Amino acid sequence: MSAASGKGAAKQYAAYIGLDVHKETIAVAVAEPGRDEPLYRGEIANTPKKVERLIAQLSEAYDGGLLLFCYEAGPCGYGLYRQLIASGHDCEVVAPSLIPQKAGERIKTDRRDALKLARLLRSGDLTAVWVPDQEQERKARQQLNAFLLRHGQHWPKGKSRWTPAHENWLAGLKLDDPWQQVVLQSDIDAERAAGERVAQLNDQLMRALPEWSLAPVVDSLVALRGLDKLAAIVLLAELGDITRFDSPKQLMAFLGLVPSEHSSGGRRRQGAITLTGNSHARRMLIESAWSYRFPARQTKHLKAKAANASPAAKQIAWKAQVRLCGRYRSMTRAGKNTKLVCVAIARELAGFLWDIVRQERPRLALTQAPVTGA
């Protein structure tokens, strides 16, 4: 709610104060009622004592009138908000993504940000966010890893998380504050419950798979490196009949894995991928593409998971592995960003996926054909 449309309309403020808040400093600007340009008051240290002094100075300057402060929501939290409210003045924590931006605005400094906040606060063009109280904020702690990091607990770098060793380490942690210990145990229980639910859902999918009409296609798709049965089920469920695409390029475009383009006259410019189509399938392919960062090889694991695949699917999967592993290696050696490389690998992986489904279509039609009795 903006100052003008909400509480700003019901109350008369002596001044509007924009605060550009950082971990160490706060830039301060003041806009008085009317149309005059805001004034910049400089920076103060981001400490409760300095903030208290600022409040006292502003209250004296405006004869004890009611002040309205604002600052952007961010990692500094709501401690400043609570201090300002406790002083008897009003404060809004505003959504950064909803702050109006001028076209062509390229210069960003703490001074400019503070002046801009004060100006927009006075005009009522800012959108405030909901501020939780301290008890609600405690319950809304971030995920377990971030919680432990804030309290100086570090799992050794390089070791895998969520292994039995990691679980035992979590179970043995003792924090000084009893409430912190409660939050820790709550997060651990939530993680275990989520893991158990995922395992149950995965088990149900595997039991239902043999009765699915696309089960033979799933068996062949897992021949591809990076795709297990769950990934294959997700891709087929999200994409439907892949053979409806006349070419691999159509499938790549549907997945949003092709570069965007802005061409005019004789100039051709390509940008980031389009991100159109099915985001779940696109994310699954990009995750699968990471496995091609290793050299191509026929491991015992790959042979076992491809046991039920057709010979044609195995041949395509090996061709894909040789091609994509080589592409990953050559692109990274050329200095390409690894994330961009994985997107490029995912795009080509979609082509091999299309080829396997196309090869499996006759066999799938045969298994679904009605049985004619003697």
Side-chain angles (χ1 to χ4, degrees):
M1 184 179 294
S2 67
S5 62
K7 60 188 178 184
K11 299 180 181 179
Q12 295 297 321
Y13 294 105
Y16 302 84
I17 298 91
L19 305 176
D20 188 47
V21 180
H22 298 278
K23 181 180 179 181
E24 303 293 338
T25 61
I26 300 175
V28 184
V30 180
E32 296 181 349
R35 302 181 63 89
D36 293 338
E37 281 297 305
L39 299 176
Y40 182 65
R41 290 184 58 98
E43 287 187 352
I44 64 170
N46 189 354
T47 64
K49 188 174 181 179
K50 294 294 184 181
V51 171
E52 183 180 356
R53 183 179 178 185
L54 172 67
I55 296 171
Q57 291 174 345
L58 291 172
S59 295
E60 182 179 355
Y62 291 98
D63 299 325
L66 185 63
L67 305 175
L68 177 60
F69 295 81
C70 79
Y71 67 96
E72 296 181 34
C76 292
Y78 304 114
L80 176 58
Y81 169 88
R82 296 186 182 108
Q83 182 179 1
L84 293 169
I85 293 296
S87 71
H89 296 288
D90 286 344
C91 179
E92 291 184 359
V93 182
V94 302
S97 60
L98 298 180
I99 295 176
Q101 301 289 338
K102 289 184 179 179
E105 195 173 42
R106 294 290 183 270
I107 301 177
K108 179 179 172 61
T109 65
D110 295 348
R111 177 193 180 102
R112 283 176 176 250
D113 287 347
L115 289 168
K116 181 178 181 179
L117 285 172
R119 186 183 303 110
L120 293 174
L121 180 64
R122 180 178 61 187
S123 62
D125 291 326
L126 295 176
T127 302
V129 302
W130 174 74
V131 179
D133 60 33
Q134 289 177 304
E135 186 64 23
Q136 290 166 327
E137 190 173 7
R138 176 181 296 171
K139 292 179 181 178
R141 294 283 189 180
Q142 292 182 343
Q143 296 180 351
L144 179 57
N145 291 337
F147 173 79
L148 293 175
L149 188 62
R150 288 197 300 270
H151 296 285
Q153 301 294 338
H154 306 275
W155 178 245
K157 187 177 180 180
K159 289 190 176 183
S160 299
R161 297 179 183 273
W162 312 120
T163 60
H166 184 234
E167 295 280 356
N168 292 335
W169 177 76
L170 289 173
L173 285 176
K174 301 295 182 185
L175 301 180
D176 296 334
D177 191 322
W179 286 109
Q180 292 175 359
Q181 191 70 37
V182 170
V183 174
L184 171 62
Q185 190 58 52
S186 176
D187 286 346
I188 292 174
D189 293 343
E191 187 278 326
R192 287 176 179 170
E196 291 173 359
R197 183 168 180 268
V198 169
Q200 291 173 358
L201 291 173
N202 189 61
D203 181 61
Q204 292 173 1
L205 280 175
M206 294 305 109
R207 282 189 288 170
L209 178 59
E211 301 177 8
W212 194 23
S213 60
L214 295 178
V217 184
V218 172
D219 289 337
S220 290
L221 285 181
V222 296
L224 287 166
R225 186 173 189 170
L227 284 182
D228 59 8
K229 286 189 175 182
L230 181 60
I233 291 172
V234 170
L235 287 170
L236 291 174
E238 293 290 340
L239 297 176
D241 183 12
I242 296 177
T243 59
R244 73 182 188 276
F245 300 102
D246 295 331
S247 68
K249 289 185 178 180
Q250 288 185 0
L251 175 59
M252 296 171 190
F254 176 79
L255 289 166
L257 289 169
V258 297
S260 58
E261 183 174 336
H262 180 76
S263 300
S264 179
R267 188 176 183 182
R268 183 169 181 261
R269 296 179 61 185
Q270 288 187 314
I273 59 174
T274 60
L275 296 176
T276 58
N278 193 293
S279 60
H280 297 293
R282 180 173 61 251
R283 182 171 62 249
M284 186 64 69
L285 279 174
I286 293 174
E287 289 179 359
S288 299
W290 281 101
S291 64
Y292 291 92
R293 67 189 185 274
F294 303 109
R297 54 187 177 182
Q298 287 285 16
T299 64
K300 183 178 179 180
H301 169 71
L302 290 176
K303 290 179 179 179
K305 79 186 189 80
N308 296 326
S310 66
K314 292 178 182 178
Q315 185 178 1
I316 295 171
W318 176 243
K319 181 181 177 182
Q321 191 175 169
V322 173
R323 161 77 178 173
L324 300 182
C325 290
R327 283 276 290 160
Y328 187 96
R329 194 161 52 251
S330 63
M331 292 177 74
T332 50
R333 285 176 179 173
K336 300 289 186 182
N337 181 281
T338 55
K339 294 181 180 179
L340 298 180
V341 172
C342 274
V343 172
I345 297 300
R347 179 166 55 247
E348 293 199 33
L349 180 59
F352 288 106
L353 182 144
W354 176 89
D355 197 17
I356 287 180
V357 175
R358 183 177 61 86
Q359 294 286 347
E360 290 300 306
R361 189 171 187 177
R363 188 162 74 101
L364 184 62
L366 183 62
T367 59
Q368 292 178 337
V371 178
T372 55

